[in-house]
């Protein structure tokens, strides 16, 4: 009844469909909750990063999903083991959704840790090609159960006003490819979706990398969606 997630290594188009369907779920939940998100940014005094986490969690909890009674671990804000149903198959999925909030000047990137992705980061740093593997497995095994890992990122882009409130400008939702899709999205250090991260190796800081939304979108337009605030209408980017 359930397909083996490891078999997706040879069914990459199906894996793309799973990630696309997952992004649609998150985008719809955020779209439905965006009025609340505007009010939260304007009225609450919490740190913007905390507000972003709360909004994502509340939006997805309100949407609901076919959950599996399995606890997931990791440094990502929202984690759910769930069933994903398709007319031709069903699969167990470990859905990870991380939230970030930043002024609009930083809306084109998201800074990530290796624990948040399963791809290998291939890029050029200090004039040399590097390869840094993510530590999240492409298929997560927990107590004998196998889950395809899907990582999505939500970026709340806001404007800081002089009179003390934050105005939500747009919400960016992006689907980071699973490690099985490495050769489609980051085959070489020069053909990459990454930018240098905000870490200083000389100071012993942990490796970080920035996901470039424009680069990812140039690979597959649907992988990066921008949700505007009213009265602007959202249109899915295919």
């Amino acid at each position: 009844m359930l397909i083996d997630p490891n078999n997706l290594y040879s069914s990459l188009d199906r894996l793309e469909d799973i990630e696309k369907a997952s992004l649609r779920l998150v985008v719809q939940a955020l779209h439905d909750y965006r009025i609340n998100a505007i009010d939260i940014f304007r009225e609450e005094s919490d740190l913007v990063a905390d507000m972003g986490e709360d909004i994502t969690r509340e939006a997805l909890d309100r949407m609901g999903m076919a959950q599996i009674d399995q606890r997931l671990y990791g440094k990502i804000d929202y984690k759910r083991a769930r069933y994903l149903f398709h007319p031709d198959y069903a699969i167990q999925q470990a859905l990870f959704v991380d939230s970030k909030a930043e002024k609009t000047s930083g809306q084109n990137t998201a800074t990530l840790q290796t624990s948040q992705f399963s791809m290998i980061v291939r890029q050029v740093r200090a004039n040399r090609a590097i390869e840094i593997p993510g530590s999240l497995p492409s298929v997560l095994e927990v107590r004998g159960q196998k889950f395809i890992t899907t990582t999505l990122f939500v970026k709340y882009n806001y404007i800081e006003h002089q009179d003390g409130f934050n105005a939500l400008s747009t919400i960016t939702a992006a689907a980071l490819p699973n490690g099985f899709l490495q050769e489609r999205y980051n085959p070489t250090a020069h053909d990459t979706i990454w930018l240098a991260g905000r870490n200083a190796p000389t100071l012993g800081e942990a490796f970080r990398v920035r996901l470039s939304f424009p680069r990812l979108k140039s690979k597959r337009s649907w992988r990066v969606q921008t949700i505007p605030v009213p009265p602007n209408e959202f249109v899915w980017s295919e």
Side-chain angles (χ1 to χ4, degrees):
M1 182 176 178
L2 295 170
I3 64 173
D4 184 343
N6 287 302
N7 293 338
L8 292 173
Y9 182 77
S10 56
S11 301
L12 298 183
D13 288 342
R14 175 174 284 184
L15 178 54
E16 297 258 20
D17 287 343
I18 288 170
E19 295 185 345
K20 189 174 185 178
S22 303
L23 183 62
R24 281 190 180 275
L25 169 75
V26 172
V27 167
Q28 188 65 57
L30 294 170
H31 180 272
D32 292 350
Y33 200 73
R34 60 181 179 162
I35 300 298
N36 303 70
I38 293 169
D39 292 340
I40 290 170
F41 264 84
R42 175 179 288 272
E43 297 172 6
E44 294 193 8
S45 58
D46 292 343
L47 294 173
V48 289
D50 294 338
M51 287 190 278
E53 293 176 20
D54 290 344
I55 292 167
T56 298
R57 187 178 302 108
E58 291 168 13
L60 289 173
D61 285 346
R62 177 181 289 190
M63 172 69 71
M65 58 186 70
Q67 295 189 45
I68 300 172
D69 187 18
Q70 184 64 265
R71 185 175 178 84
L72 302 179
Y73 299 90
K75 294 182 179 180
I76 296 182
D77 302 332
Y78 185 91
K79 302 173 284 288
R80 290 292 183 274
R82 70 163 189 149
Y83 292 109
L84 189 150
F85 298 104
H86 183 275
D88 297 326
Y89 61 86
I91 192 169
Q92 293 187 140
Q93 179 188 50
L95 179 65
F96 296 97
V97 186
D98 199 57
S99 302
K100 302 179 185 299
E102 197 170 344
K103 295 177 184 178
T104 53
S105 58
Q107 64 187 349
N108 286 327
T109 65
T111 300
L112 315 182
Q113 305 174 50
T114 55
S115 61
Q116 296 177 309
F117 53 85
S118 56
M119 294 183 72
I120 299 170
V121 174
R122 293 172 175 162
Q123 64 175 177
V124 176
R125 284 199 184 186
N127 296 317
R128 68 181 184 92
I130 65 168
E131 291 196 2
I132 304 294
S135 59
L136 185 68
S138 295
V139 175
L140 183 65
E141 295 194 31
V142 184
R143 297 179 180 175
Q145 293 183 293
K146 298 178 182 178
F147 302 84
I148 189 68
T149 58
T150 301
T151 306
L152 308 179
F153 292 93
V154 178
K155 186 78 174 284
Y156 296 92
N157 308 301
Y158 67 92
I159 299 170
E160 189 177 61
H161 284 266
Q162 292 182 345
D163 51 1
F165 73 91
N166 296 316
L168 185 63
S169 175
T170 58
I171 304 171
T172 303
L176 183 63
N178 180 281
F180 287 163
L181 294 162
Q182 181 76 44
E183 297 307 312
R184 289 191 177 186
Y185 289 90
N186 184 202
T188 71
H190 297 280
D191 185 357
T192 185
I193 58 175
W194 310 104
L195 297 170
R198 298 186 178 101
N199 65 288
T202 55
L203 299 178
E205 293 180 352
F207 179 84
R208 291 176 183 266
V209 68
R210 285 183 297 155
L211 172 64
S212 167
F213 295 140
R215 289 185 179 185
L216 180 58
K217 194 172 183 66
S218 71
K219 296 282 188 178
R220 295 286 191 283
S221 184
W222 63 262
R223 281 194 175 269
V224 180
Q225 303 292 329
T226 302
I227 305 168
V229 297
N232 299 310
E233 291 296 323
F234 169 72
V235 178
W236 177 269
S237 176
E238 193 59 49

